[in-house]
Amino acid sequence: PEDPTAAAPSLKTGMGNLLLQAPFQDFQPYITSGVGIFNESLGTHSETNFGSNAGGGVKIGLAGPVRLRVEYRVFKLGSGALNSPAHRIYAGLNLKF
């Protein structure tokens, strides 16, 4: 049987990061960096190895404890990876506590 997802590219990461952020209230820029492992697959190719990442972003207060978070990261993947570096942009909501 044909499986259309079998040839789809996939990148899974597990990273431990350090975060340094400004001590402001409603607008908090930050930078982050870390290391961990990744698994990249495309069709029959699969690679698991060590990688690192670095990036930065901002947390913007919206209402009460709800904040918007926008972030950009670059993942530098180990040898054998098909696509390195990998660039990611994230956006989401989080709660301040």
Side-chain angles (χ1 to χ4, degrees):
E2 236 181 80
D3 182 6
T5 62
S10 171
L11 176 63
K12 299 173 188 160
T13 62
M15 302 278 172
N17 280 55
L18 293 175
L19 182 125
L20 179 63
Q21 69 184 11
F24 307 137
Q25 287 295 322
D26 290 331
F27 186 83
Q28 284 188 302
Y30 64 90
I31 58 173
T32 184
S33 182
V35 295
I37 60 171
F38 74 91
N39 175 267
E40 177 188 53
S41 61
L42 176 61
T44 59
H45 172 81
S46 182
E47 172 74 21
T48 300
N49 209 327
F50 292 99
S52 61
N53 72 82
V58 64
K59 298 174 187 175
I60 303 168
L62 297 178
V66 178
R67 300 187 300 178
L68 171 68
R69 182 179 68 95
V70 180
E71 179 177 300
Y72 171 76
R73 282 201 200 183
V74 177
F75 291 87
K76 184 168 170 61
L77 308 176
S79 63
L82 295 175
N83 296 305
S84 183
H87 302 266
R88 298 289 184 262
I89 297 174
Y90 301 99
L93 298 176
N94 66 6
L95 296 175
K96 181 178 181 178
F97 58 91

